[in-house]
Amino acid sequence: METATETERKYDVPESFELPDLTGAAGIAKVDTAETHDLDATYFDTEDLRLMKNRRTLRRRSGGHDAGWHLKTPGDGDGRKEHRMSGAGDEVPDELHALVRGIVRRRPLAPVARLRTHRVETPLRDAKGRTLALVAQDRVRAESGDDHSAWQEIEVELVDGDVRVLAAVEKLLLEAGASPAAGPSKVARALAGRLGSEPGQDSVNPVSRYAREQRDAILEHDPAARRGEEEPVHKMRVATRRLRSTLKSFRRWFPERETAELGDELRWLAAVLGAVRDPQVLEAKLLSGVEDAGPDFQPAAERIRTVLEQRVAQGREELTAALDSDRYLDLLDRIDALVDRPLPDDDDPAERARKVLAKADGELDAAIAGGVDEELHAARKRYKQARYAVELIAPEAGKPAKRLVRALTDLQDGLGAHQDSSIARETLHEIGPDSFYFGVLYGRQEAVGKETLVAVPALVRASRRKRVRRWLVKA
């Protein structure tokens, strides 16, 4: 499977549209001879168009330079990520199916639309002959069940150029009579009658909105997490924790039994993701500076690396199995059922955030007074819960809420650094022989633990300043 980032813009054009002269715009020195292609694409989705509703398109296409299977997923700005595989037939390749399994789950994928496109493709080249972009003039005929439609459009896709080329070409196209495309893709236009419209966001309960954002983040990072990629595993785990914390903080908004059961399953998913993520973080922490400590430390460094990378590998195997399991698919279905239901508007999320934060303050004060690591760790988790609760109301509260979120994040990170040093010492004791070099590393982490505790009081004061919290008391 090949993966590429596709950056393009689309425009609707009238029947009589003629491509304007684009030479001289953003380094375009030559408009080369056009090529003609006849493309025939069949799009696959579930009966309720779950892929399309989650901004994914899956097709099998013949004709052109890249015939075969294509899966397009969201990217940044004008870009989308495209996964390509060669082959024909009516069965979606397993590799592509795995990338959307979290969205489609047990629902079968079947043809939902067929688009036949007559394309005239024109390369735009610079003075050195590099292809900056391709301009495709498309005549499209679409079929979806008994619905038929036809239209003309233009696609401008970057090759070796940058966004300045897109902007310059767009200006000339609009002046010549083009207009921004009515839909994000050809198939979205063909299926517009079945897709419906997006619900308005202004009226959405903030608890619902935040919970749905975490659900969407879990689905977004699912494909890359299956491959064990570090950042997607981390972000998927954070989304899982945020959702679980939301169900706990705002439990009155949700059915009690379903919330408790779902919380247990989210804890399971976070633990599976943590089995990959935690050894990665710990390896970086323990090996920081060791490589420059001299050759005598290298055997210790190698043992740390070997043991923790074995844990990561085992964690990836367990994660792949978990994400392929019925348990995970059941969890996703239950998340959908819970976060998509209407929630009452008679409760105040800000009031609940105040209570969660006050409880975190009390737990931390008691933990600092007692000096017990386990209590400090519990207080850190409580502040994480409070931070997520404040994040939830931040879109309505604006800059004051963001300021408090930053202060709580700093405090949580300070307490987390102390907890990390404790875990690092436990790991060194577990995997290291009774040697001088492991003893030195253990001592370093012990010093880190003490240093982080010294910094905590200042972080506490910063998070409790009146200007940081005043808005929440009045909210």
Side-chain angles (χ1 to χ4, degrees), residues 180-197:
S185 65
K186 292 180 174 66
V187 69
R189 184 167 182 164
L191 295 169
R194 293 177 58 186
L195 284 171
S197 58

Side-chain angles (χ1 to χ4, degrees), residues 29 33 52 148 176 203 244 261 315 401 403 419 423 454:
T33 304
M52 291 293 299
H148 295 75
S203 61
R244 180 167 171 260
E261 294 176 351
R403 188 182 300 120
Q419 173 66 11
I423 294 173
V454 170

